[in-house]
Amino acid sequence: MPETIVTPYVPSYITVHLGAPDSNAENVTVSFPDYIKNVASSEIYPTWNEAAIIANIYAQISFALNRVYTAFYPSQGYDFDITSSTAYDQKFIRGRNIFSNIDQLVDGLFNSYIRRVGFIEPLAAKYCNGTTVTCNGLSQWGSEQLARQGYNSIDILKYYYGDNIEIVTNAPVREFAESYPGTPIRLGDTGDAVIAIQRSLNEISNNYPRIPKVAVDGIFGESTENAVKTLQSIFNLTPDGVVGLATWYKIVYLYVGIRRLAELNSRGQQLRGISFEYPNVVAIGDRGEKVTIAQFLLSVIAEFYDTVPFVEIDGIFGQSTQNAVKEFQRTFDLPVTGVITQSVWNAMYDVFVSVDNELTTIDYGTQLDNLLNGNSQNQGNNISYGDSDF
Amino acid sequence: MAEFGYFTARVYTSKGEIPVSNASVVIESYDMSSILGARVTDQDGKITPIIINTPKRSESQSPGAQEAPFASVNVRISHPRYYTYYIRNAQVFEGETSMADAELIPIDYSADYPFKAFDFNVTPQNL
């Protein structure tokens, strides 16, 4: 029987355990670009030669994607993708400052990675500082020295990992149906990609009013170009009015994020006719309305607390729902049981109320309202994270 | 000539990155003895950059520096409706811009202790 080849994807979000694997530490779920920006800012200096910074970023991306692709931690029963401990993985400091130049470089590279020629999986790219610690992989200080000698980032990577490596670029990002088309979209272009960009810009501009509204006509004219430039100036992207990979995925992340909030708000309005009173104990194996409500509460909380993971609202209390309950309990200093008792339900509801006010006051605009109210698929049915025009 | 870098911030709430305007961003020295700059976020949740004195850039470009090759500052981001976001020992390098991308969380007034800070400490790179 032919082997099924699973194409590596880049996760749109990654869950990081803030300690050694067996430690009773929190998990945080962050976007994959933000994870890499944090790692790069935590591992190296922004003053280094750009070729060295890029080489290090490729190694960091590849290491993380190898963890995800091989399900290294989930296969051992853990509920996270990677840790923040340098004894096991890469340095990640929750909430830290990041560096502007690293921010821009990662936006353009986050879905590219290293692999061995003839192999599918991302390279488990090892690295170390190369001074106090040596290893069979990239030397961080060595990469800076090579860059100063004129090596480019690929030369640096081949120096440490061998000539039989290649860079995979523009890998698909999971949960985003439409990948970056591969070539920049710019003034004068027409077509479906332009329509998607224009529609998304209009939704984003509801909360970023400096971004002007544009006609959704599929024609990339000056007004669209100006809107793109304004978005780029807000989000630390090169303000050239061209939608390259970095701008494309910034637009996608923002649009999908706003749409997800709108769907939850819509779902909340549907549920307001139902009592939020504690039903009775809710635990793994349960199904039905009480599970749906619990999942809805957790989903809204997850939009605001990075320590609570996303959960699908499907009315089935499975492993992922149990994990979300545990992370909620850990976040709010409750006994970590994975079971929703009265005290847990009350805490979930109280936190939900505190963030729900934000949810109901966000401007989703007419377009998303019409989409959600007119789309029968969203009427009381499951909301899957990532459902979108992208 | 004094060496310096920049610190800026973008403040928002939720994974939808809804901007938070009128949040105060205060940069203080690492020992909290002085305020180095203060701003209020605009409609995009952003501030104009604050200039921070730093060590020389060259200190971070080869191993073996005797002192940290960056300036350490504390960053306090606050707004009446959200929990305070506090970064201790944020790093600023000469000629580079450091950014605080701060996701704020709405205050839960029903909690026993509704007023708390989300407190993050930046440790140096292992270089």
Side-chain angles (χ1 to χ4, degrees):
Chain A
M1 177 172 294
E3 222 174 86
T4 302
I5 295 176
V6 178
T7 303
Y9 61 85
V10 175
S12 51
Y13 284 84
I14 187 168
T15 299
V16 187
H17 187 67
L18 299 179
D22 288 322
S23 67
N24 184 32
E26 290 176 316
N27 294 342
V28 290
T29 300
V30 297
S31 78
F32 189 75
D34 284 350
Y35 168 75
I36 297 297
K37 291 172 186 179
N38 188 303
V39 168
S41 298
S42 300
E43 286 278 357
I44 60 176
Y45 294 147
T47 52
W48 287 2
N49 189 288
E50 188 168 287
I53 295 176
I54 292 173
N56 277 272
I57 289 172
Y58 274 130
Q60 292 153 9
I61 292 170
S62 304
F63 183 91
L65 291 183
N66 181 276
R67 285 285 197 243
V68 172
Y69 181 75
T70 61
F72 184 80
Y73 288 107
S75 64
Q76 299 176 59
Y78 296 108
D79 60 353
F80 49 83
D81 298 309
I82 201 164
T83 75
S84 66
S85 167
T86 54
Y88 299 87
D89 299 301
Q90 312 183 110
K91 191 163 188 174
F92 172 93
I93 302 172
R94 184 186 176 208
R96 68 157 297 139
N97 67 285
I98 55 175
F99 303 108
S100 176
N101 60 333
I102 286 176
D103 180 75
Q104 290 188 333
L105 287 171
V106 171
D107 276 337
L109 293 174
F110 80 95
N111 63 340
S112 298
Y113 59 88
I114 312 164
R115 71 180 178 193
R116 291 261 175 239
V117 175
F119 286 74
I120 299 292
E121 65 188 49
L123 183 72
K126 291 184 172 47
Y127 58 84
C128 55
N129 66 23
T131 52
T132 57
V133 180
T134 55
C135 62
N136 184 22
L138 181 141
S139 160
Q140 291 166 318
W141 278 116
S143 68
E144 168 65 359
Q145 287 164 7
L146 289 176
R148 294 193 176 280
Q149 294 171 29
Y151 281 60
N152 63 32
S153 58
I154 305 305
D155 292 338
I156 292 170
L157 291 172
K158 288 187 173 182
Y159 182 93
Y160 290 110
Y161 297 118
D163 286 333
N164 62 337
I165 60 167
E166 59 189 2
I167 303 294
V168 174
T169 59
N170 195 21
V173 180
R174 198 180 199 190
E175 285 116 11
F176 296 156
E178 292 291 331
S179 294
Y180 170 63
T183 53
I185 303 128
R186 62 180 80 231
L187 187 68
D189 287 346
T190 59
D192 290 343
V194 178
I195 290 175
I197 289 167
Q198 291 169 329
R199 185 181 294 141
S200 304
L201 284 170
N202 285 343
E203 292 307 327
I204 295 166
S205 77
N206 289 325
N207 293 291
Y208 288 91
R210 271 208 308 126
I211 301 172
K213 298 285 187 192
V214 298
V216 182
D217 58 8
I219 303 168
F220 199 122
E222 280 187 15
S223 59
T224 300
E225 186 181 57
N226 288 337
V228 170
K229 282 183 180 175
T230 306
L231 177 138
Q232 290 169 327
S233 69
I234 295 171
F235 293 99
N236 194 39
L237 299 162
T238 303
D240 58 6
V242 176
V243 181
L245 186 147
T247 302
W248 174 273
Y249 279 111
K250 175 53 70 179
I251 291 173
V252 169
Y253 267 103
L254 287 168
Y255 176 77
V256 170
I258 292 170
R259 179 173 169 139
R260 202 170 54 240
L261 290 173
E263 287 175 345
L264 283 170
N265 187 50
S266 176
R267 188 61 173 259
Q269 287 165 14
Q270 294 163 19
L271 288 173
R272 275 171 223 291
I274 298 171
S275 172
F276 279 90
E277 270 190 39
Y278 173 62
N280 51 41
V281 171
V282 191
I284 196 160
D286 286 345
R287 289 173 175 246
E289 185 178 274
K290 63 181 183 178
V291 178
T292 298
I293 295 174
Q295 290 171 329
F296 167 72
L297 297 177
L298 288 167
S299 293
V300 173
I301 293 167
E303 290 293 332
F304 294 88
Y305 283 84
D306 60 0
T307 49
V308 178
F310 296 117
V311 61
E312 191 166 344
I313 306 174
D314 60 6
I316 303 169
F317 197 125
Q319 192 63 55
S320 59
T321 302
Q322 186 183 61
N323 287 343
V325 173
K326 285 182 174 178
E327 293 306 322
F328 173 85
Q329 291 166 324
R330 188 173 282 117
T331 300
F332 293 95
D333 297 323
L334 298 167
V336 180
T337 62
V339 176
I340 305 177
T341 56
Q342 171 120 46
S343 61
V344 177
W345 183 277
N346 291 346
M348 283 168 52
Y349 183 74
D350 285 345
V351 176
F352 161 76
V353 168
S354 71
V355 300
D356 183 52
N357 188 52
E358 290 289 327
L359 204 66
T360 55
T361 57
I362 291 169
D363 183 353
Y364 299 108
T366 311
Q367 187 171 284
L368 266 180
D369 272 348
N370 289 342
L371 185 69
L372 295 172
N373 292 330
N375 185 346
S376 61
Q377 287 184 329
N378 285 309
Q379 297 294 328
N381 290 339
N382 300 342
I383 295 172
S384 291
Y385 161 61
D387 279 352
S388 75
D389 292 332
F390 279 100
Chain B
M1 180 183 287
E3 292 79 31
F4 57 88
Y6 305 90
F7 204 101
T8 186
R10 187 172 68 87
V11 184
Y12 56 92
T13 187
S14 84
K15 291 189 174 54
E17 298 189 37
I18 310 303
V20 175
S21 58
N22 297 314
S24 78
V25 180
V26 177
I27 312 287
E28 55 188 34
S29 58
Y30 76 96
D31 59 3
M32 297 181 281
S33 64
S34 58
I35 290 177
L36 306 177
R39 299 281 192 274
V40 175
T41 58
D42 62 15
Q43 62 180 334
D44 298 327
K46 296 182 69 173
I47 62 168
T48 55
I50 297 170
I51 295 176
I52 305 292
N53 289 334
T54 66
K56 286 184 181 164
R57 187 180 181 88
S58 57
E59 295 292 319
S60 59
Q61 292 172 327
S62 55
Q66 298 298 309
E67 306 283 339
F70 48 79
S72 293
V73 297
N74 300 328
V75 184
R76 188 183 302 273
I77 300 172
S78 54
H79 185 286
R81 287 200 346 241
Y82 303 92
Y83 292 115
T84 297
Y85 190 105
Y86 191 52
I87 310 174
R88 289 183 286 124
N89 297 306
Q91 301 170 337
V92 185
F93 289 79
E94 185 195 354
E96 299 295 337
T97 298
S98 296
M99 304 164 41
D101 254 20
E103 182 179 340
L104 301 190
I105 297 175
I107 291 175
D108 177 5
Y109 288 98
S110 69
D112 288 339
Y113 300 98
F115 301 102
K116 61 183 178 183
F118 284 83
D119 193 324
F120 308 108
N121 183 43
V122 181
T123 55
Q125 293 77 352
N126 297 331
L127 290 170

